[in-house]
Coordinates of all heavy atoms in Angstrom, one line a residue:
M289 N -30.1 -119.6 -45.9 CA -28.8 -120.1 -45.7 C -28.6 -120.5 -44.2 O -28.9 -119.7 -43.3 CB -27.7 -119.1 -46.1 CG -26.3 -119.5 -45.9 SD -25.4 -118.2 -46.6 CE -23.8 -118.5 -46.3
Q290 N -28.1 -121.7 -44.0 CA -27.9 -122.2 -42.6 C -26.7 -121.5 -42.0 O -25.7 -121.3 -42.6 CB -27.8 -123.7 -42.6 CG -27.8 -124.3 -41.3 CD -27.7 -125.9 -41.4 OE1 -27.6 -126.4 -42.5 NE2 -27.7 -126.5 -40.3
T291 N -26.8 -121.2 -40.7 CA -25.7 -120.5 -40.0 C -24.8 -121.6 -39.5 O -25.2 -122.6 -38.9 CB -26.3 -119.8 -38.7 OG1 -27.2 -118.8 -39.1 CG2 -25.1 -119.1 -38.0
P292 N -23.5 -121.5 -39.9 CA -22.5 -122.5 -39.5 C -22.2 -122.4 -38.0 O -22.5 -121.4 -37.3 CB -21.2 -122.1 -40.2 CG -21.4 -120.7 -40.6 CD -22.9 -120.4 -40.7
A293 N -21.7 -123.5 -37.4 CA -21.4 -123.6 -36.0 C -20.2 -122.7 -35.7 O -19.4 -122.4 -36.5 CB -21.0 -125.0 -35.7
Q294 N -20.2 -122.2 -34.5 CA -19.1 -121.3 -34.0 C -17.8 -122.2 -33.9 O -17.8 -123.2 -33.2 CB -19.5 -120.7 -32.7 CG -18.4 -119.9 -32.0 CD -18.0 -118.7 -32.8 OE1 -18.8 -118.0 -33.3 NE2 -16.7 -118.4 -32.8
P295 N -16.7 -121.8 -34.6 CA -15.5 -122.5 -34.5 C -14.9 -122.4 -33.1 O -15.1 -121.4 -32.4 CB -14.5 -121.8 -35.4 CG -15.4 -121.0 -36.3 CD -16.6 -120.7 -35.6
N296 N -14.2 -123.5 -32.6 CA -13.6 -123.5 -31.3 C -12.4 -122.5 -31.1 O -12.1 -122.1 -30.0 CB -13.1 -124.9 -30.9 CG -14.3 -125.9 -30.8 OD1 -15.4 -125.5 -30.5 ND2 -14.0 -127.1 -31.0
D297 N -11.8 -122.2 -32.2 CA -10.6 -121.4 -32.1 C -10.7 -120.0 -32.5 O -9.8 -119.2 -32.7 CB -9.5 -122.1 -33.0 CG -9.8 -122.1 -34.5 OD1 -11.0 -121.8 -34.8 OD2 -8.9 -122.4 -35.3
T298 N -12.0 -119.5 -32.7 CA -12.2 -118.1 -33.1 C -13.3 -117.5 -32.3 O -14.4 -118.2 -32.0 CB -12.7 -118.2 -34.6 OG1 -11.7 -118.9 -35.4 CG2 -12.8 -116.8 -35.2
D299 N -13.2 -116.3 -31.9 CA -14.2 -115.7 -31.1 C -15.4 -115.3 -31.9 O -15.3 -115.2 -33.2 CB -13.6 -114.4 -30.3 CG -13.2 -113.3 -31.3 OD1 -14.1 -112.6 -31.7 OD2 -12.0 -113.2 -31.5
A300 N -16.5 -115.1 -31.3 CA -17.8 -114.8 -32.0 C -17.7 -113.6 -32.9 O -18.2 -113.6 -34.0 CB -18.9 -114.7 -31.0
E301 N -17.1 -112.5 -32.4 CA -17.0 -111.3 -33.2 C -16.2 -111.5 -34.5 O -16.6 -111.1 -35.6 CB -16.3 -110.2 -32.4 CG -16.3 -108.8 -33.1 CD -15.7 -107.7 -32.2 OE1 -15.5 -107.9 -31.0 OE2 -15.4 -106.7 -32.8
S302 N -15.0 -112.2 -34.4 CA -14.2 -112.5 -35.6 C -15.0 -113.4 -36.6 O -14.9 -113.2 -37.8 CB -12.9 -113.2 -35.2 OG -12.1 -112.3 -34.4
T303 N -15.7 -114.4 -36.0 CA -16.5 -115.2 -36.9 C -17.5 -114.4 -37.7 O -17.7 -114.6 -38.9 CB -17.2 -116.3 -36.1 OG1 -16.1 -117.1 -35.4 CG2 -18.0 -117.2 -36.9
A304 N -18.2 -113.5 -37.0 CA -19.2 -112.7 -37.6 C -18.6 -111.8 -38.8 O -19.2 -111.7 -39.8 CB -19.9 -111.8 -36.6
V305 N -17.4 -111.3 -38.5 CA -16.7 -110.5 -39.6 C -16.4 -111.4 -40.8 O -16.7 -111.0 -42.0 CB -15.4 -109.9 -39.1 CG1 -14.6 -109.3 -40.2 CG2 -15.7 -108.8 -38.0
V306 N -15.9 -112.6 -40.6 CA -15.6 -113.5 -41.7 C -16.9 -113.9 -42.4 O -16.9 -113.8 -43.7 CB -14.9 -114.8 -41.1 CG1 -14.8 -115.8 -42.2 CG2 -13.5 -114.4 -40.6
L307 N -17.9 -114.2 -41.7 CA -19.2 -114.5 -42.4 C -19.8 -113.4 -43.2 O -20.3 -113.6 -44.3 CB -20.2 -115.1 -41.3 CG -19.9 -116.4 -40.7 CD1 -20.9 -116.7 -39.6 CD2 -19.8 -117.5 -41.7
R308 N -19.6 -112.2 -42.7 CA -20.1 -111.0 -43.5 C -19.3 -110.9 -44.7 O -19.9 -110.6 -45.8 CB -20.0 -109.7 -42.6 CG -21.2 -109.5 -41.7 CD -21.3 -108.1 -41.2 NE -20.1 -107.6 -40.5 CZ -19.8 -107.9 -39.2 NH1 -20.6 -108.5 -38.4 NH2 -18.7 -107.4 -38.7
C309 N -18.0 -111.1 -44.6 CA -17.2 -111.0 -45.8 C -17.5 -112.1 -46.8 O -17.6 -111.8 -48.0 CB -15.7 -111.1 -45.5 SG -15.0 -109.7 -44.6
I310 N -17.7 -113.3 -46.4 CA -18.1 -114.4 -47.3 C -19.5 -114.1 -47.9 O -19.7 -114.3 -49.1 CB -18.1 -115.7 -46.5 CG1 -16.7 -116.1 -46.1 CG2 -18.8 -116.8 -47.3 CD1 -16.6 -117.3 -45.2
S311 N -20.4 -113.5 -47.1 CA -21.7 -113.3 -47.7 C -21.7 -112.3 -48.8 O -22.7 -112.2 -49.6 CB -22.7 -112.9 -46.5 OG -22.4 -111.6 -46.1
R312 N -20.7 -111.4 -48.8 CA -20.6 -110.4 -49.9 C -20.0 -110.9 -51.2 O -20.1 -110.3 -52.2 CB -19.8 -109.2 -49.4 CG -20.5 -108.5 -48.3 CD -19.6 -107.3 -47.8 NE -20.3 -106.6 -46.7 CZ -19.7 -106.2 -45.6 NH1 -18.4 -106.4 -45.5 NH2 -20.3 -105.6 -44.6
L313 N -19.5 -112.1 -51.1 CA -18.9 -112.7 -52.3 C -20.0 -113.3 -53.3 O -21.0 -113.8 -52.8 CB -18.0 -113.9 -52.0 CG -16.7 -113.5 -51.1 CD1 -16.0 -114.8 -50.7 CD2 -15.8 -112.6 -51.9
S314 N -19.7 -113.2 -54.5 CA -20.6 -113.8 -55.5 C -20.4 -115.4 -55.4 O -19.4 -115.8 -54.9 CB -20.3 -113.4 -56.9 OG -19.1 -113.9 -57.4
P315 N -21.4 -116.1 -56.0 CA -21.2 -117.6 -56.0 C -19.9 -118.0 -56.7 O -19.2 -118.9 -56.2 CB -22.4 -118.1 -56.8 CG -23.4 -117.1 -56.5 CD -22.7 -115.8 -56.5
L316 N -19.5 -117.3 -57.8 CA -18.2 -117.6 -58.4 C -17.0 -117.3 -57.5 O -16.1 -118.1 -57.4 CB -18.1 -116.9 -59.7 CG -16.8 -117.1 -60.5 CD1 -16.6 -118.5 -60.9 CD2 -16.8 -116.2 -61.8
E317 N -17.1 -116.2 -56.8 CA -16.0 -115.8 -55.9 C -15.9 -116.8 -54.8 O -14.8 -117.2 -54.4 CB -16.2 -114.4 -55.4 CG -16.0 -113.3 -56.4 CD -16.4 -112.0 -56.0 OE1 -17.4 -111.9 -55.2 OE2 -15.8 -111.0 -56.3
R318 N -17.0 -117.3 -54.3 CA -17.0 -118.3 -53.2 C -16.3 -119.6 -53.7 O -15.5 -120.3 -53.1 CB -18.4 -118.6 -52.7 CG -18.9 -117.5 -51.9 CD -20.3 -117.9 -51.4 NE -21.0 -116.7 -50.9 CZ -22.1 -116.8 -50.2 NH1 -22.7 -117.9 -49.9 NH2 -22.6 -115.6 -49.7
L319 N -16.7 -120.0 -54.9 CA -16.2 -121.2 -55.5 C -14.7 -121.1 -55.7 O -13.9 -122.0 -55.4 CB -16.9 -121.5 -56.9 CG -16.4 -122.8 -57.6 CD1 -16.7 -124.0 -56.8 CD2 -17.1 -122.9 -58.9
Q320 N -14.2 -119.9 -56.2 CA -12.8 -119.7 -56.4 C -12.1 -119.7 -55.1 O -11.0 -120.3 -55.0 CB -12.6 -118.4 -57.1 CG -13.1 -118.4 -58.6 CD -13.1 -117.0 -59.2 OE1 -13.3 -116.0 -58.6 NE2 -12.9 -117.0 -60.5
A321 N -12.6 -119.1 -54.1 CA -12.0 -119.1 -52.8 C -11.9 -120.5 -52.2 O -10.8 -120.9 -51.7 CB -12.7 -118.2 -51.8
D322 N -12.9 -121.3 -52.4 CA -13.0 -122.7 -51.9 C -11.9 -123.5 -52.7 O -11.2 -124.3 -52.1 CB -14.4 -123.3 -52.1 CG -14.4 -124.7 -51.6 OD1 -14.2 -124.9 -50.4 OD2 -14.6 -125.6 -52.5
S323 N -11.8 -123.3 -53.9 CA -10.8 -124.0 -54.8 C -9.4 -123.7 -54.3 O -8.6 -124.6 -54.2 CB -11.0 -123.7 -56.2 OG -10.1 -124.3 -57.0
R324 N -9.1 -122.4 -54.1 CA -7.8 -122.0 -53.6 C -7.5 -122.7 -52.2 O -6.4 -123.2 -52.0 CB -7.7 -120.5 -53.5 CG -7.5 -119.8 -54.8 CD -7.2 -118.4 -54.7 NE -8.1 -117.6 -53.9 CZ -9.2 -117.0 -54.3 NH1 -9.5 -117.0 -55.6 NH2 -10.0 -116.3 -53.5
L325 N -8.4 -122.7 -51.3 CA -8.2 -123.3 -50.0 C -8.0 -124.8 -50.1 O -7.1 -125.4 -49.5 CB -9.4 -123.0 -49.1 CG -9.5 -121.6 -48.5 CD1 -10.8 -121.4 -47.8 CD2 -8.3 -121.3 -47.6
S326 N -8.8 -125.4 -51.0 CA -8.6 -126.9 -51.2 C -7.2 -127.2 -51.8 O -6.6 -128.1 -51.4 CB -9.7 -127.4 -52.1 OG -11.0 -127.3 -51.5
D327 N -6.8 -126.4 -52.7 CA -5.5 -126.6 -53.4 C -4.4 -126.4 -52.4 O -3.5 -127.2 -52.3 CB -5.4 -125.6 -54.6 CG -4.1 -125.9 -55.3 OD1 -3.9 -127.1 -55.7 OD2 -3.3 -125.0 -55.5
R328 N -4.5 -125.4 -51.5 CA -3.5 -125.2 -50.5 C -3.4 -126.3 -49.5 O -2.3 -126.8 -49.2 CB -3.7 -123.9 -49.7 CG -3.4 -122.6 -50.5 CD -3.6 -121.4 -49.7 NE -3.5 -120.2 -50.6 CZ -4.3 -119.2 -50.5 NH1 -5.2 -119.1 -49.6 NH2 -4.1 -118.2 -51.4
G329 N -4.6 -126.8 -49.1 CA -4.6 -128.0 -48.2 C -4.0 -129.2 -48.8 O -3.2 -129.9 -48.2
R330 N -4.3 -129.4 -50.1 CA -3.7 -130.6 -50.8 C -2.2 -130.5 -50.9 O -1.5 -131.4 -50.6 CB -4.3 -130.7 -52.2 CG -3.9 -131.9 -53.0 CD -4.4 -131.9 -54.4 NE -4.2 -130.7 -55.1 CZ -3.0 -130.4 -55.7 NH1 -2.0 -131.2 -55.6 NH2 -2.9 -129.3 -56.3
R331 N -1.7 -129.3 -51.2 CA -0.3 -129.1 -51.4 C 0.4 -129.2 -50.0 O 1.5 -129.8 -49.9 CB 0.0 -127.7 -52.0 CG -0.2 -127.7 -53.5 CD 0.2 -126.4 -54.1 NE -0.8 -125.4 -53.9 CZ -0.6 -124.2 -53.5 NH1 0.6 -123.7 -53.3 NH2 -1.6 -123.3 -53.3
L332 N -0.2 -128.8 -48.9 CA 0.4 -128.9 -47.6 C 0.4 -130.4 -47.2 O 1.4 -130.9 -46.6 CB -0.4 -128.1 -46.6 CG -0.2 -126.6 -46.6 CD1 -1.2 -126.0 -45.7 CD2 1.2 -126.3 -46.1
A333 N -0.6 -131.1 -47.5 CA -0.7 -132.6 -47.2 C 0.4 -133.3 -48.0 O 1.1 -134.2 -47.4 CB -2.1 -133.1 -47.5
L334 N 0.5 -133.0 -49.3 CA 1.6 -133.7 -50.1 C 3.0 -133.4 -49.5 O 3.8 -134.2 -49.5 CB 1.4 -133.3 -51.5 CG 0.2 -133.9 -52.3 CD1 0.0 -133.2 -53.6 CD2 0.4 -135.4 -52.4
A335 N 3.2 -132.1 -49.2 CA 4.5 -131.7 -48.6 C 4.8 -132.5 -47.3 O 5.9 -133.0 -47.1 CB 4.6 -130.2 -48.4
A336 N 3.8 -132.6 -46.5 CA 4.0 -133.4 -45.2 C 4.3 -134.9 -45.5 O 5.1 -135.5 -44.8 CB 2.7 -133.3 -44.3
I337 N 3.6 -135.4 -46.5 CA 3.9 -136.8 -46.8 C 5.3 -137.0 -47.4 O 6.0 -137.9 -47.0 CB 2.8 -137.3 -47.9 CG1 1.4 -137.4 -47.2 CG2 3.2 -138.7 -48.4 CD1 0.3 -137.6 -48.2
R338 N 5.7 -136.0 -48.2 CA 7.1 -136.1 -48.7 C 8.1 -136.0 -47.6 O 9.1 -136.7 -47.6 CB 7.3 -135.0 -49.7 CG 6.7 -135.2 -51.1 CD 7.0 -134.1 -52.1 NE 6.3 -134.4 -53.3 CZ 5.2 -133.8 -53.7 NH1 4.6 -132.9 -52.9 NH2 4.6 -134.1 -54.8
N339 N 7.8 -135.2 -46.6 CA 8.8 -135.0 -45.4 C 8.8 -136.3 -44.6 O 9.9 -136.7 -44.2 CB 8.3 -133.9 -44.5 CG 8.7 -132.5 -45.1 OD1 9.7 -132.4 -45.9 ND2 8.1 -131.5 -44.6
R340 N 7.7 -137.0 -44.4 CA 7.6 -138.2 -43.7 C 8.2 -139.4 -44.4 O 8.6 -140.4 -43.8 CB 6.2 -138.5 -43.2 CG 5.7 -137.7 -42.1 CD 4.4 -138.2 -41.5 NE 3.6 -137.0 -41.2 CZ 2.5 -136.6 -41.8 NH1 1.9 -137.4 -42.7 NH2 1.9 -135.5 -41.5
H341 N 8.1 -139.4 -45.7 CA 8.5 -140.5 -46.6 C 9.5 -140.0 -47.7 O 9.1 -140.0 -48.9 CB 7.3 -141.2 -47.2 CG 6.3 -141.6 -46.2 ND1 6.4 -142.7 -45.4 CD2 5.2 -141.0 -45.7 CE1 5.4 -142.8 -44.6 NE2 4.6 -141.8 -44.8
P342 N 10.7 -139.6 -47.3 CA 11.6 -139.0 -48.3 C 12.0 -139.9 -49.4 O 12.4 -139.4 -50.5 CB 12.8 -138.5 -47.4 CG 12.7 -139.3 -46.2 CD 11.3 -139.6 -46.0
D343 N 12.0 -141.2 -49.2 CA 12.4 -142.1 -50.2 C 11.2 -142.6 -51.1 O 11.5 -143.3 -52.1 CB 13.0 -143.4 -49.6 CG 14.3 -143.0 -48.9 OD1 15.0 -142.0 -49.3 OD2 14.6 -143.7 -47.9
A344 N 10.0 -142.1 -50.8 CA 8.9 -142.5 -51.6 C 8.9 -141.8 -53.0 O 9.2 -140.6 -53.1 CB 7.6 -142.2 -50.9
D345 N 8.5 -142.6 -54.0 CA 8.4 -142.0 -55.4 C 7.0 -141.2 -55.4 O 6.2 -141.3 -54.5 CB 8.5 -143.0 -56.5 CG 7.4 -144.1 -56.5 OD1 6.4 -143.9 -55.8 OD2 7.6 -145.1 -57.2
E346 N 6.8 -140.5 -56.5 CA 5.6 -139.7 -56.7 C 4.3 -140.5 -56.6 O 3.3 -140.1 -56.1 CB 5.7 -138.9 -58.0 CG 4.7 -137.7 -58.0 CD 4.8 -136.7 -56.9 OE1 6.0 -136.5 -56.4 OE2 3.8 -136.0 -56.6
T347 N 4.4 -141.7 -57.2 CA 3.2 -142.6 -57.1 C 2.8 -142.9 -55.7 O 1.7 -142.9 -55.3 CB 3.4 -143.9 -58.0 OG1 3.6 -143.5 -59.3 CG2 2.2 -144.8 -57.9
E348 N 3.8 -143.3 -54.9 CA 3.6 -143.7 -53.5 C 3.1 -142.5 -52.7 O 2.2 -142.6 -51.9 CB 4.9 -144.2 -52.9 CG 4.7 -144.7 -51.4 CD 3.7 -145.8 -51.2 OE1 3.4 -146.6 -52.2 OE2 3.2 -145.9 -50.1
I349 N 3.6 -141.3 -53.0 CA 3.2 -140.1 -52.3 C 1.7 -139.8 -52.6 O 0.9 -139.6 -51.7 CB 4.1 -138.9 -52.7 CG1 5.5 -139.1 -52.1 CG2 3.4 -137.6 -52.3 CD1 6.5 -138.2 -52.6
R350 N 1.3 -140.0 -53.9 CA -0.1 -139.7 -54.2 C -1.0 -140.8 -53.7 O -2.1 -140.5 -53.3 CB -0.2 -139.6 -55.7 CG 0.5 -138.3 -56.2 CD 0.1 -137.8 -57.6 NE 0.8 -136.6 -57.9 CZ 0.4 -135.4 -57.6 NH1 -0.7 -135.2 -56.9 NH2 1.1 -134.3 -57.9
L351 N -0.5 -142.0 -53.6 CA -1.3 -143.1 -53.0 C -1.5 -142.8 -51.5 O -2.6 -143.0 -51.0 CB -0.7 -144.4 -53.2 CG -0.8 -145.0 -54.6 CD1 0.1 -146.2 -54.8 CD2 -2.3 -145.4 -54.8
R352 N -0.5 -142.4 -50.8 CA -0.6 -142.0 -49.4 C -1.6 -140.8 -49.2 O -2.3 -140.8 -48.3 CB 0.8 -141.7 -48.8 CG 1.6 -143.0 -48.6 CD 2.9 -142.7 -48.0 NE 3.7 -143.9 -47.9 CZ 3.7 -144.7 -46.8 NH1 2.9 -144.4 -45.8 NH2 4.4 -145.8 -46.8
Y353 N -1.5 -139.9 -50.1 CA -2.5 -138.8 -50.1 C -3.9 -139.3 -50.3 O -4.8 -138.9 -49.6 CB -2.1 -137.7 -51.1 CG -3.2 -136.6 -51.2 CD1 -3.2 -135.6 -50.2 CD2 -4.2 -136.6 -52.2 CE1 -4.2 -134.7 -50.2 CE2 -5.2 -135.7 -52.2 CZ -5.2 -134.7 -51.2 OH -6.2 -133.8 -51.2
S354 N -4.1 -140.2 -51.2 CA -5.4 -140.7 -51.4 C -6.0 -141.4 -50.2 O -7.2 -141.4 -49.9 CB -5.5 -141.6 -52.6 OG -4.9 -142.9 -52.4
E355 N -5.1 -142.1 -49.4 CA -5.5 -142.7 -48.1 C -6.0 -141.6 -47.2 O -7.0 -141.9 -46.5 CB -4.3 -143.4 -47.5 CG -3.9 -144.6 -48.2 CD -2.6 -145.2 -47.7 OE1 -2.0 -144.6 -46.7 OE2 -2.1 -146.2 -48.2
L356 N -5.4 -140.5 -47.2 CA -5.8 -139.4 -46.3 C -7.1 -138.8 -46.8 O -8.1 -138.5 -46.0 CB -4.8 -138.3 -46.2 CG -3.5 -138.6 -45.5 CD1 -2.5 -137.4 -45.7 CD2 -3.8 -138.8 -44.0
A357 N -7.2 -138.5 -48.1 CA -8.3 -137.7 -48.6 C -9.5 -138.6 -48.9 O -10.7 -138.1 -48.8 CB -7.8 -137.0 -49.9
Y358 N -9.3 -139.8 -49.4 CA -10.4 -140.6 -49.9 C -10.6 -141.9 -49.2 O -11.3 -142.8 -49.7 CB -10.2 -140.8 -51.4 CG -10.0 -139.6 -52.2 CD1 -8.8 -139.3 -52.7 CD2 -11.0 -138.6 -52.3 CE1 -8.6 -138.1 -53.4 CE2 -10.8 -137.5 -53.0 CZ -9.6 -137.2 -53.5 OH -9.4 -136.0 -54.2
R359 N -9.8 -142.2 -48.2 CA -9.9 -143.4 -47.3 C -9.0 -144.5 -47.9 O -8.6 -144.5 -49.1 CB -11.3 -143.9 -47.1 CG -12.1 -142.8 -46.4 CD -13.4 -143.4 -46.0 NE -14.2 -142.3 -45.5 CZ -15.1 -142.5 -44.5 NH1 -15.3 -143.7 -44.0 NH2 -15.8 -141.5 -44.0
Q360 N -8.7 -145.4 -47.0 CA -7.8 -146.5 -47.3 C -8.3 -147.4 -48.5 O -7.6 -147.9 -49.3 CB -7.7 -147.4 -46.1 CG -6.7 -148.6 -46.3 CD -5.3 -148.2 -46.4 OE1 -4.8 -147.2 -45.8 NE2 -4.6 -148.9 -47.3
T361 N -9.7 -147.6 -48.6 CA -10.2 -148.5 -49.6 C -9.8 -148.1 -51.0 O -9.4 -148.9 -51.8 CB -11.8 -148.5 -49.5 OG1 -12.1 -148.8 -48.1 CG2 -12.4 -149.5 -50.4
L362 N -9.9 -146.8 -51.3 CA -9.6 -146.4 -52.7 C -8.1 -146.6 -52.9 O -7.7 -147.1 -54.0 CB -9.9 -144.9 -52.9 CG -9.4 -144.3 -54.2 CD1 -10.2 -145.0 -55.4 CD2 -9.7 -142.8 -54.3
A363 N -7.2 -146.3 -52.0 CA -5.8 -146.5 -52.2 C -5.5 -148.0 -52.4 O -4.6 -148.3 -53.2 CB -5.0 -145.9 -51.0
T364 N -6.1 -148.8 -51.6 CA -5.9 -150.3 -51.8 C -6.3 -150.7 -53.2 O -5.6 -151.5 -53.8 CB -6.7 -151.0 -50.7 OG1 -6.3 -150.6 -49.4 CG2 -6.6 -152.5 -50.9
H365 N -7.4 -150.3 -53.7 CA -7.9 -150.6 -55.1 C -6.9 -150.1 -56.1 O -6.6 -150.8 -57.1 CB -9.3 -150.1 -55.4 CG -10.4 -150.8 -54.6 ND1 -10.6 -152.1 -54.8 CD2 -11.3 -150.4 -53.7 CE1 -11.6 -152.5 -54.1 NE2 -12.0 -151.5 -53.4
V366 N -6.4 -148.9 -55.9 CA -5.5 -148.3 -56.9 C -4.2 -149.1 -56.8 O -3.6 -149.4 -57.9 CB -5.2 -146.8 -56.6 CG1 -4.1 -146.3 -57.5 CG2 -6.5 -146.0 -56.9
R367 N -3.7 -149.4 -55.6 CA -2.4 -150.2 -55.5 C -2.6 -151.6 -56.3 O -1.7 -152.0 -57.0 CB -2.1 -150.5 -54.1 CG -1.5 -149.3 -53.3 CD -1.3 -149.7 -51.9 NE -1.2 -148.5 -51.0 CZ -0.1 -147.7 -50.9 NH1 1.0 -148.0 -51.6 NH2 -0.1 -146.7 -50.1
S368 N -3.7 -152.2 -56.1 CA -4.0 -153.5 -56.8 C -4.0 -153.3 -58.3 O -3.4 -154.1 -59.0 CB -5.3 -154.1 -56.3 OG -5.2 -154.4 -55.0
W369 N -4.6 -152.3 -58.7 CA -4.7 -152.0 -60.2 C -3.3 -151.7 -60.7 O -3.0 -152.2 -61.8 CB -5.6 -150.8 -60.4 CG -5.8 -150.4 -61.8 CD1 -6.5 -151.0 -62.8 CD2 -5.0 -149.3 -62.5 NE1 -6.4 -150.4 -64.0 CE2 -5.5 -149.3 -63.9 CE3 -4.1 -148.4 -62.1 CZ2 -4.9 -148.4 -64.8 CZ3 -3.6 -147.5 -63.0 CH2 -4.0 -147.5 -64.3
L370 N -2.5 -151.0 -60.0 CA -1.2 -150.7 -60.5 C -0.3 -151.9 -60.6 O 0.5 -152.1 -61.5 CB -0.5 -149.7 -59.6 CG -1.0 -148.2 -59.7 CD1 -0.4 -147.4 -58.5 CD2 -0.6 -147.6 -61.0
K371 N -0.4 -152.8 -59.6 CA 0.3 -154.1 -59.6 C -0.1 -154.9 -60.8 O 0.7 -155.5 -61.5 CB 0.1 -154.9 -58.3 CG 0.9 -154.3 -57.2 CD 0.7 -155.1 -55.9 CE 1.5 -154.4 -54.8 NZ 1.4 -155.2 -53.6
E372 N -1.4 -155.0 -61.1 CA -1.9 -155.7 -62.3 C -1.4 -155.1 -63.5 O -1.0 -155.9 -64.4 CB -3.5 -155.7 -62.3 CG -4.1 -156.6 -61.3 CD -5.6 -156.5 -61.3 OE1 -6.2 -156.1 -62.4 OE2 -6.3 -156.7 -60.3
R373 N -1.4 -153.8 -63.6 CA -0.9 -153.1 -64.8 C 0.6 -153.4 -65.0 O 1.0 -153.6 -66.2 CB -1.2 -151.6 -64.7 CG -1.1 -150.9 -66.0 CD -1.5 -149.5 -65.8 NE -0.3 -148.7 -65.8 CZ -0.2 -147.4 -65.6 NH1 -1.2 -146.7 -65.2 NH2 1.0 -146.8 -65.7
E374 N 1.3 -153.3 -63.9 CA 2.8 -153.6 -64.0 C 3.0 -155.0 -64.6 O 3.9 -155.3 -65.4 CB 3.5 -153.5 -62.7 CG 3.6 -152.0 -62.3 CD 4.2 -151.9 -60.9 OE1 4.6 -152.9 -60.3 OE2 4.2 -150.8 -60.3
G375 N 2.2 -156.0 -64.1 CA 2.3 -157.4 -64.5 C 2.0 -157.5 -66.0 O 2.6 -158.4 -66.7
Q376 N 1.1 -156.7 -66.5 CA 0.8 -156.8 -67.9 C 1.9 -156.2 -68.8 O 2.0 -156.6 -70.0 CB -0.6 -156.1 -68.2 CG -1.8 -156.7 -67.6 CD -3.0 -155.9 -67.7 OE1 -3.0 -154.8 -68.2 NE2 -4.1 -156.4 -67.2
H377 N 2.6 -155.3 -68.3 CA 3.7 -154.6 -69.1 C 5.0 -155.3 -68.9 O 6.0 -154.8 -69.4 CB 3.7 -153.1 -68.7 CG 2.5 -152.4 -69.1 ND1 2.1 -152.3 -70.4 CD2 1.5 -151.7 -68.4 CE1 1.0 -151.6 -70.5 NE2 0.6 -151.2 -69.3
A378 N 5.1 -156.3 -68.0 CA 6.4 -156.9 -67.7 C 6.8 -157.9 -68.8 O 6.0 -158.4 -69.6 CB 6.4 -157.6 -66.4

């Protein structure tokens, strides 16, 4: 297993403690922990977008999130697809 880089905001001793704790986790426990952290990060990002764009509907909020998480290109394609879809249902 490759040793991760030392974080800028954490001293070496604290990093060593965290790495020892992580190394004691089973692969499933690591996956679960990663999933929880990813979910928290996603929820925080969505909350920040809602705060910055209080008049945005849920679709717009999720599109703005996709710009952050998956880059502008995906959001642009999804916006185009949604406009086409709306035109077909009008």
Side-chain angles (χ1 to χ4, degrees):
M289 179 177 175
Q290 189 175 0
T291 303
Q294 174 65 38
N296 292 335
D297 62 349
T298 309
D299 64 81
E301 185 179 349
S302 297
T303 299
V305 169
V306 169
L307 291 176
R308 278 196 304 276
C309 290
I310 292 171
S311 71
R312 293 180 182 136
L313 297 175
S314 71
L316 177 59
E317 290 169 324
R318 288 182 193 193
L319 181 62
Q320 290 169 331
D322 180 64
S323 179
R324 284 190 303 272
L325 285 172
S326 294
D327 186 54
R328 285 182 190 142
R330 182 184 54 79
R331 284 186 280 133
L332 285 170
L334 288 168
I337 292 167
R338 284 186 184 97
N339 281 338
R340 281 189 221 118
H341 305 281
D343 296 329
D345 64 13
E346 194 61 25
T347 299
E348 181 63 23
I349 290 167
R350 294 199 178 274
L351 284 167
R352 288 179 181 272
Y353 174 77
S354 73
E355 291 172 359
L356 291 173
Y358 307 111
R359 300 190 185 213
Q360 181 70 37
T361 305
L362 177 63
T364 300
H365 287 299
V366 172
R367 285 178 201 280
S368 296
W369 179 80
L370 287 171
K371 284 182 183 180
E372 287 177 26
R373 195 175 109 186
E374 286 174 11
Q376 293 172 358
H377 294 297

